[in-house]
Amino acid sequence: MCGRFALAATAEEVAALFGYLDAEDFPPRYNIAPTQPIAIVREEHHRRRFALARWGLVPAWVEDPKRFQLLINARTEGIATKPAFKNAIRYRRCLVPASGFYEWRRQGKSKQPFWVKPRDGGPIGFAGLWETWSDRDGGEIDSACIITTSANATVLPIHARMPVTIAPEDFDLWLTGETDAAMALLTPAPDDLLEAHPVSDRVNKADADDPGLLLPVADIKTDLFG
């Protein structure tokens, strides 16, 4: 699963990569947690648009979001038939800008957090789904989740799952392509795309949010295959 990620790139870097119309400004965030607002890029009237959505998908048919299971991730396996995702995968796909994500490797009775990021730096796009939930009074909640798949060779020594990353040349296909063609993109990232290093367990606290969270912890063994 993907339970924490970061978006430390500038607004200009994100806009340049994702090509949306909006001139949005936002601060760097180093420890984005479930239920918090996340940036998404979606297609509206044949244009890419920036939006904010709550991290934790709420399908339109849900009666009470407070009693509904928090869906921060959608597994690729069975995504086209599961009630929570089957409409969104056809009509409401989005990209989630990120600088990387955190994952935890179990070590005995404890878990060591790792920061996983692109080797070449810069932002990347996770595959996501979004929905708009409306209450009886007309209030609306935009929400989203991140799609996960089996881990590639880089992430597997840490965790069995990873977010699906969409290459920039496939952004249009993911956002607007036919469902089957878009779903063919839901595969592990190339093994040479990402790198990982251990970080401080301060990231476990959702209120921790500073650049130091991304720094490697020098005294922790970094040989993932050891």
Side-chain angles (χ1 to χ4, degrees):
M1 65 177 292
C2 175
R4 299 285 178 86
F5 70 101
L7 180 58
T10 67
E12 292 77 16
E13 290 173 326
V14 176
L17 177 63
F18 291 91
Y20 49 76
L21 291 175
D22 313 85
E24 295 290 338
D25 192 16
F26 46 83
R29 298 174 63 196
Y30 301 95
N31 191 13
I32 302 171
T35 74
Q36 294 179 354
I38 61 174
I40 65 171
V41 178
R42 57 192 180 187
E43 193 85 3
E44 295 181 7
H45 306 294
H46 308 292
R47 299 289 184 90
R48 294 183 196 169
R49 303 302 301 264
F50 176 98
L52 292 176
R54 192 196 77 154
W55 188 12
L57 192 76
V58 181
W61 46 261
V62 170
E63 293 186 5
D64 184 355
K66 294 180 180 179
R67 298 184 179 182
F68 186 71
Q69 177 186 2
L70 189 65
L71 300 176
I72 64 171
N73 294 150
R75 296 173 66 96
T76 56
E77 298 85 353
I79 196 172
T81 58
K82 292 180 179 178
F85 309 125
K86 65 180 183 180
N87 288 329
I89 192 65
R90 294 180 63 188
Y91 305 115
R92 289 176 290 278
R93 299 187 293 266
C94 65
L95 294 160
V96 180
S99 296
F101 63 96
Y102 298 98
E103 196 50 84
W104 282 256
R105 182 177 71 177
R106 183 172 294 279
Q107 298 182 170
K109 296 182 179 180
S110 62
K111 290 184 178 181
Q112 171 60 49
F114 284 77
W115 170 237
V116 187
K117 67 179 183 68
R119 292 180 185 272
D120 297 333
I124 53 177
F126 296 152
L129 303 175
W130 68 275
E131 287 276 12
T132 298
W133 180 87
S134 301
D135 63 24
R136 295 178 180 178
D137 298 323
E140 294 184 341
I141 300 174
D142 279 353
S143 63
C145 67
I146 294 171
I147 300 175
T148 67
T149 187
S150 55
N152 65 8
T154 302
V155 178
L156 185 58
I158 304 170
H159 196 271
R161 308 287 299 179
M162 68 181 300
V164 173
T165 59
I166 303 295
E169 60 269 24
D170 293 324
F171 283 175
D172 281 337
L173 176 57
W174 173 248
L175 292 174
T176 64
E178 294 294 329
T179 304
D180 289 345
M183 287 183 57
L185 300 174
L186 301 180
T187 59
D191 292 337
D192 61 352
L193 178 66
L194 304 170
E195 61 184 10
H197 61 249
V199 294
S200 168
D201 61 5
R202 289 196 304 115
V203 72
N204 296 344
K205 297 181 179 180
D207 59 353
D209 188 6
D210 61 80
L213 296 175
L214 310 183
L215 298 178
V217 179
D219 61 348
I220 294 177
K221 187 176 181 181
T222 59
D223 181 3
L224 302 184
F225 298 92

